[in-house]
Structure formats: structure tokens, C-alpha cells
Amino acid sequence: MKFIQNQYVKLLVKLLNLKVIGMLASYVFVAIVTNYYGAKMWGVFSLCLLVMSVVSVLSVFGLDTALLRKTAFYFKDGKQGAIRYLYSRSMWFVLGTSASFAFVTFLLAEHIANYIFHDTTLVKDLRIAALGIPAISLLAITAQNLRAIQLNGWFLFYNHIGRYLLPGVALLFGIYALNIEMNPVLIFVVALYLMAFVANVQFVRQSEIHSHPNEVDLTWRALLVIGMPLMLANSVNFLKGWLDTFMIGFYLDTLEVGIYGVALKISKILTIPITVINTMSAS
């Protein structure tokens, strides 16, 4: 019993460290973008990420959360075939929906820039962001499945650390090694595609899903029915986190969005010790 408790504490500390590292990686990325590209560029990036995230939530249809629950159940029972079946069907479905939403967003980029954010200079970056919608959607599916098969460290890496660490390193490499300034939105999208591919390969290999889906007691269409209400719940959580950025982007310009985003990040530094205390107390 004591051994189990010690193992649990070690796992908790490891995940806590990764979560803090993810927060720090986001702060470093903000510092890189604002120092080398200015606060306005961070405002542009924030609005592009807002659009990507909104469309991603819609294109996933709640399958990421639904798969988290069902995959964890099948993994506990050793039903690898069921995991393979639901994962592959869901990935193909999300690939189709996210690509369709991305195409529509790409076409509407000019209207979004002009009539929602009132900034014509956003069109190019919004179109780049639209191209990243399939990547961020597929990564959401795979990351939750890695979490379901108890690879929580990799879930935190793909969801919190990698998406800021990789673009940050790429931007610094471009500035100091290549002496060029790369578009942060473009680099972020490329990093998402890279992580989505690597995460997919990792999930297929580490979950050892090779058997025939004869163990499935739930079709992926039924899973979609489960996911729809979860999509509504995810949308509420999403609005809670992004409504302030949207309102500032709607009424003010991208410079104010960038300044607010940096100030908000700095204020959240105070939440790091609170996160540590709450996590340790919950254990």
C-alpha cells in the first residue's frame, strides 16, 4: 500500500512539473513574439488562435471528450480492437469535418477580418490559421486518447508544452541562425501538423492496437451522439476562456489585444504556486 502511494506521489509530482513547464513555455513564447515582433503581432496571433480554436471545437463535435471516456474504459478491459476501431473512424471523420470547416474559414477570412475584427491586415494570417484547423483538431483527438491510455505526460506535452516550445525554438533559430523573421502564426501551424503526425504514430505504436474491432459494443456514430452534448459543454468552457479576447478584438484593434494578452499572461504567473498547492492538497 505504501509503495502504491509512493508511486502515485511520484506520478503526481511528474505531471505537476510538466504542467508548470507548459505554463512557462507559453510565457517564453509570448516573450519571444512580443520582444522580436511587437505587441501587435501577439494580438494578431491571439485572434488567429481564437479563430482556430473556435472552429476546432465545432469540427471535433465533442469526440475528443467522448473518446477519452470510452477509450479509458476499453483500455482498462484490454479491448484493443475497440480502441483501434473508434480511434480510426473518429480520426477520419474529424479529418473530413475539420478540412471542410478550414476551407470555409479560408474563404471567409476577409469577412472575418473586416466585419468582426475590423482590421484588413488580418486576412493573410487568418488564412494561414485556417490551414491549421485540421491539425489542431486531429491533435485534440489523439492527445485525449493518449491521456486515456494513461500516457498523461505526453498528453500534457502535446496540449501545453509542445505547441509553444517548438514554435518558440523555431522562431529563435530563424532570428539568430538564419537571420530572418518568420511568421509566428505560420510557424505555430507547422508545429501543430508536426505534433499531430508524431502523436498519431505514437498512439498507434504504444497502444498496441492491432486486433480486429470485434470487441466494440459502441459504433462511432453512437459515440458522435455522446459527443454532441459534450461539445456544448466544451463550447461553454471555451467561451469562458476566450470571450475577453474576442470582445477586445471586436471593439478595439490588434495592438490592444496584444497588450491585454501580455498583461493577462503576466497576471497568471501568480497562479503557478496556487496550482502547485491545490494539486498537492488534492492528493
Side-chain angles (χ1 to χ4, degrees):
M1 189 68 178
K2 185 177 180 180
F3 173 76
I4 296 176
Q5 290 178 345
N6 290 336
Q7 291 295 104
Y8 175 75
V9 170
K10 289 180 180 179
L11 177 61
L12 179 65
V13 172
K14 177 183 177 181
L15 296 179
L16 182 60
N17 289 336
L18 289 174
K19 191 170 183 179
V20 172
I21 291 172
M23 297 175 68
L24 294 176
S26 67
Y27 296 140
V28 172
F29 183 68
V30 172
I32 293 172
V33 174
T34 53
N35 283 328
Y36 292 100
Y37 299 88
K40 182 178 175 64
M41 186 66 233
W42 182 251
V44 172
F45 178 86
S46 298
L47 294 178
C48 289
L49 183 58
L50 168 63
V51 172
M52 288 176 63
S53 302
V54 169
V55 180
S56 174
V57 169
L58 297 177
S59 63
V60 169
F61 285 95
L63 285 175
D64 52 343
T65 309
L67 275 173
L68 170 63
R69 299 184 178 185
K70 297 306 294 185
T71 300
F73 173 77
Y74 288 134
F75 181 74
K76 181 180 179 181
D77 291 348
K79 296 182 178 180
Q80 303 292 346
I83 297 174
R84 171 72 177 264
Y85 175 78
L86 292 179
Y87 176 74
S88 61
R89 295 302 186 278
S90 299
M91 287 290 281
W92 282 111
F93 176 80
V94 171
L95 177 61
T97 55
S98 61
S100 300
F101 276 99
F103 179 72
V104 174
T105 305
F106 186 91
L107 295 180
L108 295 177
E110 186 173 351
H111 297 283
I112 295 172
N114 290 337
Y115 299 112
I116 297 180
F117 300 127
H118 313 293
D119 188 347
T120 56
T121 62
L122 281 173
V123 176
K124 177 183 175 181
D125 293 296
L126 286 174
R127 285 175 176 166
I128 295 174
L131 298 178
I133 291 171
I136 196 171
S137 301
L138 294 174
L139 184 60
I141 295 291
T142 308
Q144 291 291 1
N145 274 270
L146 288 170
R147 184 183 182 186
I149 61 174
Q150 299 179 6
L151 295 177
N152 295 299
W154 285 108
F155 163 76
L156 289 173
F157 175 80
Y158 291 121
N159 251 23
H160 301 285
I161 303 175
R163 64 172 54 195
Y164 295 112
L165 179 63
L166 296 182
V169 172
L171 290 176
L172 289 177
F173 180 79
I175 293 170
Y176 289 104
L178 304 179
N179 198 27
I180 58 174
E181 290 188 356
M182 296 180 286
N183 188 323
V185 179
L186 176 61
I187 296 301
F188 186 78
V189 168
V190 172
L192 285 177
Y193 273 103
L194 177 62
M195 288 192 297
F197 174 77
V198 174
N200 178 70
V201 173
Q202 181 183 14
F203 178 75
V204 172
R205 293 185 62 182
Q206 295 202 19
S207 59
E208 300 178 356
I209 44 180
H210 301 295
S211 56
H212 189 273
N214 54 1
E215 304 162 324
V216 183
D217 55 5
L218 179 73
T219 65
W220 74 270
R221 291 182 180 84
L223 185 69
L224 186 61
V225 173
I226 297 174
M228 292 296 287
L230 297 175
M231 180 186 71
L232 298 177
N234 292 339
S235 300
V236 172
N237 289 329
F238 173 82
L239 289 174
K240 184 177 67 174
W242 284 98
L243 186 59
D244 51 353
T245 301
F246 173 78
M247 296 300 292
I248 295 174
F250 183 79
Y251 288 107
L252 302 174
D253 60 28
T254 51
L255 177 61
E256 276 75 17
V257 174
I259 294 173
Y260 172 80
V262 173
L264 182 63
K265 278 289 184 182
I266 293 174
S267 68
K268 286 186 176 180
I269 293 178
L270 299 175
T271 65
I272 294 180
I274 296 176
T275 300
V276 174
I277 294 172
N278 288 342
T279 305
M280 297 305 295
S281 298
S283 63

